[in-house]
Amino acid sequence: MGTSDIEALAAKLAASSGIAAKQDIGTIAARLGLQGQRIAVGDDCAALPDGNGHLLFAIEGFMNEFVAADPWFAGWCGVMVNISDIAAMGGRPIAVVDAVWANGEAGATPVLEGMRAASSAFGVPIVGGHTNIRTERGQLSVAIIGRAKKLLTSFDARPGDVLVAAIDHRGRYREPFNNWEAATDAPPVRLRADLELLPEIAEAGLALSAKDISQGGIVGTAIMMAECSRVGIDIDVSAIPLPAGVSLDRWLATFPSFGYLLSVAPGDVADVVTLFTARGITAAAIGSVTAGSEIALIDGESRAVVRDHAETPLLQLGRQGVAA
């Protein structure tokens, strides 16, 4: 990939809607007065000290277009992505609650069936929620609670660390969105054991920092991690494994059903990668954590900056954050 190609790719990703949407987080957090928490989270979950560990609390809301276009899968994702948020912080899920708006029982049924299927597959109970099925517009939000013995955070990536991506390639796109679906037909026993890898890594001290790859894709997630940790990240596009038939530019913007970025000390990279690959999950070192504030794509001698969070913050949360 030449210099002009990598610069064009960086510009395309910098302008993506999945990354741009994260800019709203800081504005809302400031209005709510959530900055200055004792535990810096800026993360997939709020982490509340609780005994010898932390209680984890998170919520996800879904785009109306997504709920309307694929209501069963939206319901499934309501459970799945919340569980992924818990795992990203080294935790194990306890239970979820939901808030569903729909046009009658017929409108709500596929969403609820998707949630129930995911709850059964992942072994995480739905214990309550809020219902309004007398509205013309379908909407969905799901919240979760979990617990971590030892945290992985977005605030502990350090210069000199290696950026590791672990993504389940055993799937396909759920068109027309950039959602890589690798869970609905997977054996439940496998799904549960795969998620157990993150708390195992945290408790073994093999990583301090991790983040669930979200709507912003690999690059957007790296930007959030870098901003929270006040570091730079160079992403080596030539080192990123791609599923068969998938282009690099789409993969970098993809929201995978199982996907994490981890900031790992060089001496622990081989062990972390092996833990994932032993379970059939594709994992590789795809970049490096650097001093500074630039998140850049590199390919050989070519380098293109996607964002400099010191000049243009994305989350705009400061050193102490809120759930992202």
Side-chain angles (χ1 to χ4, degrees):
M1 182 178 289
T3 300
S4 61
D5 295 324
I6 201 167
E7 288 178 347
L9 178 57
K12 179 180 179 180
L13 291 167
S16 72
S17 59
I19 294 176
K22 302 297 183 181
Q23 295 178 171
D24 299 334
I25 295 171
T27 300
I28 300 303
R31 292 290 184 184
L32 290 172
L34 297 181
Q35 293 175 306
Q37 302 299 302
R38 188 165 66 90
I39 299 292
V41 285
D43 240 323
D44 298 278
C45 304
L48 310 175
D50 183 53
N52 294 325
H54 287 80
L55 197 63
L56 302 177
F57 190 26
I59 188 168
E60 293 281 354
F62 295 85
M63 295 183 297
N64 295 328
E65 296 82 2
F66 177 43
V67 178
D70 202 347
W72 185 92
F73 188 55
W76 173 282
C77 287
V79 174
M80 179 182 70
V81 300
N82 270 293
I83 293 173
S84 184
D85 285 345
I86 295 291
M89 294 194 67
R92 297 175 177 87
I94 296 172
V96 300
V97 295
D98 69 284
V100 176
W101 294 260
N103 187 357
E105 185 177 349
T109 294
V111 176
L112 299 175
E113 288 180 347
M115 288 185 58
R116 185 171 181 176
S119 170
S120 176
F122 288 101
V124 180
I126 302 167
V127 297
H130 169 81
T131 304
N132 180 356
I133 58 173
R134 300 177 185 274
T135 180
E136 294 181 357
R137 191 172 194 180
Q139 294 181 301
L140 174 65
S141 183
V142 181
I144 191 166
I145 192 169
R147 188 181 301 279
K149 294 178 181 177
K150 190 172 181 180
L151 286 178
L152 297 170
T153 81
S154 294
F155 287 84
D156 292 302
R158 297 290 180 261
D161 282 357
V162 175
L163 187 69
V164 172
I167 305 174
D168 192 346
H169 284 202
R170 296 166 291 188
R172 79 294 304 163
Y173 280 109
R174 190 96 174 190
E175 303 291 357
F177 303 101
N178 282 336
N179 296 321
W180 183 259
E181 201 282 281
T184 57
D185 56 0
V189 170
R190 191 183 86 196
L191 292 175
R192 300 177 193 186
D194 288 350
L195 286 165
E196 180 66 17
L197 291 173
L198 278 302
E200 287 180 1
I201 287 169
E203 290 159 16
L206 293 174
L208 296 176
S209 187
K211 200 156 185 64
D212 174 45
I213 299 174
S214 64
Q215 197 71 45
I218 290 172
V219 173
T221 303
I223 291 172
M224 291 188 286
M225 176 183 281
E227 185 173 330
C228 287
S229 290
R230 294 190 174 183
V231 296
I233 293 179
D234 281 350
I235 299 171
D236 184 353
V237 296
S238 67
I240 298 173
L242 300 174
V246 177
S247 66
L248 175 64
D249 60 342
R250 190 176 193 187
W251 191 242
L252 288 175
T254 291
F255 189 169
S257 59
F258 183 103
Y260 300 89
L261 295 183
L262 299 95
S263 182
V264 182
D268 293 321
V269 170
D271 287 341
V272 169
V273 168
T274 298
L275 283 171
F276 287 108
T277 57
R279 294 201 52 80
I281 296 164
T282 302
I286 66 163
S288 57
V289 180
T290 65
S293 54
E294 293 182 345
I295 298 84
L297 306 182
I298 62 171
D299 186 19
E301 298 299 317
S302 301
R303 184 176 186 271
V305 175
V306 180
R307 196 179 194 99
D308 184 330
H309 62 74
E311 293 183 0
T312 312
L314 180 62
L315 300 176
Q316 304 182 70
L317 295 173
R319 191 60 180 172
Q320 302 291 321
V322 300

